[in-house]
Structure formats: structure tokens, C-alpha cells
Amino acid sequence: GQNIDQPTEMTATEGAIVQINCTYQTSGFNGLFWYQQHAGEAPTFLSYNVLDGLEEKGRFSSFLSRSKGYSYLLLKELQMKDSASYLCASIDSNYQLIWGAGTKLIIKP
Amino acid sequence: IAGITQAPTSQILAAGRRMTLRCTQDMRHNAMYWYRQDLGLGLRLIHYSNTAGTTGKGEVPDGYSVSRANTDDFPLTLASAVPSQTSVYFCASSGDGTDYNEQFFGPGTRLTVL
């Protein structure tokens, strides 16, 4: 079957670094997305990985290991506005997205 | 219009009633999608359309229908609403449903079926 696993909730301190992990089992894997979703709002795109390795974009970085079925999102210099849910989604052989349930990130001062 | 819009923003509906959720995009994207999002679950695909004139079933299509008469509009219809269809519904679009493309989401419709 197809499955995405990510932690339900994480807590971190303002100014710190946090890593949100995602594991997937996806047939015909074609890449992986990370989206951010603030409470009551729509998801917005953060990153896309299709090759192994790290993609860095400002304070946010995303890593992919295809052989391990594993990705993580790294957030540096955390700000209060980073409090949100972070959604991991893999792309299957039909180019449909398989979504994880999301990780709610709570930032404390 | 800038991007993708949905209407209504929220709706309370009696069970058994028919309801159409509207979605319009002005980005000339070929592919459009309808998802529902429930607490503790990931976004689940209801129906999709890779191009105007074609539609396909997603993971949870039962009780829902869609049409794609043109590029811009992708309405979702609940023929006879049931309480289990209470959810937040998101419409999304992407440039080309046959290859990688970032999906852009509308603001969502919060639907309550009583």
C-alpha cells in the first residue's frame, strides 16, 4: 500500500532549529513535497525534492533519501510565525499526491 | 481574481440537500483537484481533472461528482449530503497533472452537514 508517516506534533523554542521527519511508501515514487499550513488557512508550497540530497531555501531546507523512503524538513532560526502544520506529500506513479496527516509545530518563546 | 478562489467560505447544510462548491482559477492551469481535510487525517483526493473535458476519481469519490466544462472552473457537487461529508474542502490547481507541478490551493470551504 501507499503510506506517509510523520509525527503528529512537535514543540520547539524561538531561535532554535527543528527537524520534521517523514517516511513514505509510495509506488512509482516521483518526488516529495513539503507544504506549510497555518491554522484555518490553505496549504502553501515550501519545497520539492526528487533527487537524493539537501535542498536549501533560506531558513528552510528539505532532504530526501529515496533508498530509505525518508525525508526531513529542517527549519532554522525559528520564529513565532513558523507555528503551523507541516505537510509531507509524495508523488505516486500517476502523479497524484499522497498526503501525510501533517505535523503541528508549536513554537514557544 | 488572483489565483484560485472558492465559494462559499462556509456553509451549514441539512442532510439530504444538494450542494455545489465552486472553484475558479485564473492561472490557466490544466490540472485541478478537490480534496477534503479532516482532523487527524491527511488531505484526501476526491476528484481531479488533468485538462478541461476530463475528470477522474480520487481516493474518496463516493457521494461527490465534478465537471470540467472549461479550464477555469471545477465545481464539486454533493448530490445528497450526509453528516460524514462534514469537512473542510480545498480546491487546488497545477500547471500540468502529468508531471511534477506545485499545487496551488484555494482558501477552502468549511462545510457542516447536520
Side-chain angles (χ1 to χ4, degrees), chain B residues 16-72:
Chain B
R17 296 296 296 270
R18 180 184 179 89
M19 175 75 190
T20 295
L21 308 185
R22 299 185 297 279
C23 175
T24 300
Q25 54 102 359
D26 66 353
M27 296 176 282
R28 307 306 294 171
H29 283 168
N30 285 325
M32 297 187 75
Y33 313 85
W34 274 106
Y35 292 96
R36 59 178 291 173
Q37 187 175 40
D38 302 292
L39 195 64
L41 299 177
L43 289 161
R44 292 184 291 170
L45 183 66
I46 304 171
H47 285 286
Y48 66 93
S49 169
N50 284 336
T51 189
T54 68
T55 62
K57 294 182 179 181
E59 179 186 355
V60 290
D62 294 343
Y64 306 94
S65 64
V66 292
S67 61
R68 188 87 185 279
N70 57 61
T71 298
D72 298 346

Side-chain angles (χ1 to χ4, degrees), chain A residues 30 33 35 37 40-45 48 87 91 94-97 99-102, chain B residues 33 35 37 40-43 45 48 90 97-103 105-107 110:
Chain A
N30 277 304
F33 284 102
Y35 276 75
Q37 186 178 25
E41 298 183 8
T44 55
F45 171 81
Y48 169 73
L87 314 180
I91 308 168
N94 296 315
Y95 295 99
Q96 300 296 344
L97 298 189
W99 294 84
Chain B
Y33 313 85
Y35 292 96
Q37 187 175 40
L41 299 177
L43 289 161
L45 183 66
Y48 66 93
F90 286 104
T98 63
D99 201 346
Y100 151 69
N101 262 282
E102 168 192 348
Q103 290 189 10
F105 284 79
R110 185 174 297 273

